Amino acid sequence: MKIERIEAIPYSIPYSKPLEFASGRVSDAEHVLIRVHTDDGLVGTADAPPRPFTYGETQDSIISVVTKIFAPAVTGLDPMDRGKIHQILARTVHNQVAKGSLDIALWDIIGKATGFSVSRLLGGFTDSMEVSHMLGFQPAQKLLDEALRFQDEYGINTFKLKVGRRPLSLDIEACRVLRAGLDPDTELYLDANRGWTANEALEVLRRTEGLGLSLLEEPCDAKEGMSRRRLVEKSPIPVVGDESVPTAGDASCELLSGGCNAISIKTARSGFTEAQQILGLCTGLGVDVVMGNQIDTQLGTIATVTFGAAHEATSRRAGELSNFLDMSDDLLAEQIVIQDGRIRVRDVPGVGADIDEDKLARYRQDK
């Protein structure tokens, strides 16, 4: 079996409800569909979500690096030889989303070739993941209304609140309103997307003490090294590295320097192979992990479920898996179902990310 060709297809699907947060606003899923074709007819599929305001990658850059640099270098190789392929990809620095999508597509091929679901190949710990929902910038009462609706309709009982606004009272009020309106056992955690300084984050923690917040994600820029270490030392809850830890090397640097003491793993930027490396580092050090969301489509979400359900450590916490509900449409042929607050692994060979070709034809931007 050999890699015959690789497609990088730009597409755009509008969000019915845009997501706004400290480092940007997303109103359209302007992504790249990656397809790796083999000479025996198998096709591996993955989604590449550009986030230029976070990682610097764009639709154009992903298409260019995949088609002009990666594809010529790996065409003709056996997709089973992931180590050899990753050595080739590593010669090009950065471009984590492009690399991660190719890795997921390779795993999809491996699952189809062997007849196993990729989740089982990766570890097979459980058959579903609990869902966490992200709440973007809105007035406090609207945030509570949204959370209660998601609890009622989908059984979701964990919410990540996007924070990082100024004045700080906006987010502090949101925390208080959500805690007062939700059940005591509803998990609530924060993600500032580098929107505050470390000292502002400390002030927010002081003023939200007693609300039962469970995590504080990327409160400030990791370059604010000294103050961020002070924040981690004084925080009563784990401080999660996200944008600062896209690779295993970055995760080790942040953990060892004291810049964070928990890690968000996102398969969209690490693929499955490097995600396992990051997970191994975290479990070896006894560090909590959460499965993050890169504002994923259903295609990206099913990849996250595939990885998260495969391992015990990534199954402990709810994964950020529901933001596709804010999209007006999707490319996935079989739509994801959230039942009793969980999404099930697809027990089919590969990842289970078959594409609706009519929808792809409607939304692709290159024809």
Side-chain angles (χ1 to χ4, degrees):
M1 181 170 59
K2 305 294 182 185
I3 296 173
E4 187 174 67
R5 62 188 176 94
I6 299 176
E7 291 182 284
I9 304 170
Y11 71 92
S12 180
I13 300 175
Y15 274 74
S16 54
K17 178 178 173 294
L19 180 68
E20 186 174 355
F21 46 102
S23 59
R25 182 178 187 272
V26 174
S27 57
D28 297 270
E30 296 186 333
H31 294 189
V32 181
L33 180 69
I34 300 297
R35 282 174 155 173
V36 178
H37 297 258
T38 68
D39 58 358
D40 60 359
L42 294 179
V43 180
T45 304
D47 198 31
R51 295 292 170 254
F53 41 75
T54 304
Y55 306 110
E57 291 176 270
T58 65
Q59 265 189 334
D60 289 342
S61 75
I62 290 173
I63 293 167
S64 182
V65 76
V66 168
T67 59
K68 296 180 180 179
I69 297 177
F70 295 155
V74 302
T75 297
L77 297 180
D78 190 325
M80 294 285 191
D81 296 335
R82 290 181 302 103
K84 185 184 297 184
I85 293 170
H86 276 279
Q87 182 186 44
I88 293 170
L89 300 183
R91 297 192 307 224
T92 302
V93 299
H94 309 308
N95 295 280
Q96 291 306 123
V97 173
K99 294 174 183 176
S101 62
L102 282 173
D103 181 73
I104 292 170
L106 291 175
W107 273 102
D108 193 26
I109 290 171
I110 292 168
K112 290 174 179 177
T114 59
F116 287 97
S117 76
V118 172
S119 196
R120 288 188 65 195
L121 292 176
L122 290 169
F125 178 74
T126 186
D127 63 359
S128 67
M129 277 203 76
E130 186 181 355
V131 176
S132 169
H133 181 67
M134 286 197 295
L135 300 167
F137 289 175
Q138 294 184 88
Q141 186 58 49
K142 286 190 175 182
L143 290 169
L144 177 58
D145 292 343
E146 181 176 339
L148 291 171
R149 178 170 65 85
F150 274 72
Q151 276 189 328
D152 182 59
E153 291 185 21
Y154 302 104
I156 294 173
N157 203 40
T158 299
F159 297 94
K160 174 161 111 170
L161 175 63
K162 291 290 190 178
V163 294
R165 294 180 289 180
R166 296 185 179 92
L168 303 181
S169 57
L170 290 171
D171 291 327
I172 292 167
E173 179 194 13
C175 291
R176 289 174 175 163
V177 168
L178 282 166
R179 179 47 71 207
L182 296 172
D183 294 336
D185 61 348
T186 298
E187 183 178 356
L188 183 64
Y189 63 106
L190 309 183
D191 179 8
N193 291 110
R194 301 163 290 151
W196 294 323
T197 66
N199 287 333
E200 284 175 324
L202 275 171
E203 175 66 9
V204 171
L205 288 174
R206 184 184 70 80
R207 293 168 64 182
T208 56
E209 187 176 1
L211 296 183
L213 303 176
S214 60
L215 301 168
L216 174 59
E217 185 175 313
E218 212 69 272
C220 59
D221 198 303
K223 294 177 182 177
E224 196 182 342
M226 184 175 292
S227 293
R228 180 151 153 154
R229 286 195 294 273
R230 176 170 167 265
L231 167 64
V232 173
E233 291 170 358
K234 292 183 174 294
S235 174
I237 57 177
V239 175
V240 183
D242 178 16
E243 295 97 318
S244 59
V245 293
T247 70
D250 294 321
S252 64
C253 286
E254 278 300 292
L255 290 170
L256 293 175
S257 69
C260 65
N261 52 8
I263 295 289
S264 174
I265 296 176
K266 291 181 177 176
T267 57
R269 68 178 177 218
S270 64
F272 296 152
T273 300
E274 188 157 28
Q276 283 194 314
Q277 295 170 4
I278 295 169
L279 179 59
L281 172 70
C282 293
T283 53
L285 293 173
V287 171
D288 282 359
V289 295
V290 62
M291 292 304 300
N293 185 309
Q294 205 152 297
I295 319 177
D296 292 313
T297 62
Q298 292 193 38
L299 183 57
T301 298
I302 207 66
T304 303
V305 174
T306 294
F307 184 88
H311 308 92
E312 191 271 337
T314 48
S315 300
R316 292 176 192 158
R317 292 184 175 274
E320 296 160 10
L321 303 170
S322 65
N323 280 85
F324 67 85
L325 294 170
D326 292 332
M327 291 182 62
S328 62
D329 206 349
D330 209 281
L331 296 184
L332 207 59
E334 181 187 348
Q335 300 293 289
I336 289 176
V337 175
I338 302 175
Q339 187 172 14
D340 298 326
R342 304 187 73 85
I343 296 175
R344 296 186 64 83
V345 172
R346 297 194 162 168
D347 190 17
V348 297
V351 175
D354 292 338
I355 299 300
D356 184 317
E357 296 298 332
D358 290 337
K359 289 185 177 182
L360 177 60
R362 184 186 314 159
Y363 295 115
R364 67 186 300 166
Q365 297 172 294
D366 56 350
K367 290 185 177 181

